[in-house]
Amino acid sequence: MNARPPETFALDRMATPIGTALLVTDADGALRALDWEDHEPRLRQLLRLQYGAAALKDAQAPRDITAALTEYFAGDLASLNAIRWRVAGTVFQRKVWTALRTIPAGTTINYGALAAQLDMPKAVRAVGFANGSNPISVVIPCHRVIGASGSLTGYGGGLPRKRWLLAHEGAVLKPAPRGRAIAA
């Protein structure tokens, strides 16, 4: 029997203004996952779904990745474009994740518009599911997708982080309807 050994990835932790980020990289120095320390079980689950039995070992992320993230959090929003990343996922998920990279910083799009952009206007729920399965938070900017009404909708790292990221990028959000607060 020729069972393939589990893929091994490096796991690093990086302090950011919105919590400790977990950075998962491969042997080639490509970013495979970015999530938040308080959501580590989610990170591990996404890795399992995409790579099967993956082993994580503590190791420093490549300097170019941490430098680009540091620059992003310091205000250089374009620095994320320098990060090399690689994902598994289905063909459809990768198509959605690639489309997310085309949403400019400081702007938002709703799920329906994103589905239409992909020439799949009836796939709104599937687009939402793929968005929620994004393994590389921030770099693949799933936080830029909002509800049709302009409301903040789910974000794997929590709505306060989503709100912070959008404000950091200069996105203008609609205020919550009077008497109703948008969940944080």
Side-chain angles (χ1 to χ4, degrees):
M1 181 180 216
N2 290 335
R4 208 171 118 206
E7 194 153 0
T8 301
F9 297 117
L11 173 65
D12 196 3
R13 296 170 194 280
M14 177 182 170
T16 77
I18 53 176
T20 300
L22 302 174
L23 309 176
V24 176
T25 54
D26 63 22
D28 295 328
L31 185 65
R32 293 295 190 105
L34 187 159
D35 213 327
W36 306 101
E37 188 172 55
D38 51 329
H39 295 280
E40 188 168 345
R42 172 189 136 81
L43 170 98
R44 291 180 181 275
Q45 176 65 17
L46 287 175
L47 288 172
R48 250 189 317 281
L49 289 172
Q50 290 190 8
Y51 303 106
L56 294 176
K57 63 175 178 144
D58 290 332
Q60 286 189 337
R63 174 79 181 112
D64 59 328
I65 291 175
T66 57
L69 287 167
T70 298
E71 291 166 9
Y72 168 81
F73 285 109
D76 179 3
L77 306 181
S79 67
L80 296 180
N81 296 328
I83 295 176
R84 287 185 320 110
W85 54 275
R86 186 176 303 132
V87 290
T90 67
V91 170
F92 179 76
Q93 286 173 324
R94 290 191 314 265
K95 185 174 181 176
V96 171
W97 299 335
T98 299
L100 292 172
R101 294 278 299 176
T102 68
I103 305 167
T107 64
T108 59
I109 190 171
N110 67 53
Y111 294 97
L114 183 57
Q117 180 182 315
L118 294 168
D119 292 325
M120 300 177 181
K122 294 183 180 186
V124 175
R125 286 188 177 164
V127 165
F129 185 73
N131 191 58
S133 299
N134 169 22
I136 305 179
S137 174
V138 181
V139 177
I140 297 177
C142 55
H143 60 276
R144 296 178 188 156
V145 183
I146 61 173
S149 67
S151 63
L152 293 186
T153 54
Y155 179 66
L159 290 180
R161 278 193 183 106
K162 181 173 187 162
R163 184 174 287 112
W164 189 96
L165 289 165
L166 290 172
H168 176 65
E169 294 178 354
V172 177
L173 300 173
K174 291 181 183 177
R178 195 168 185 144
R180 271 185 61 204
I182 295 175

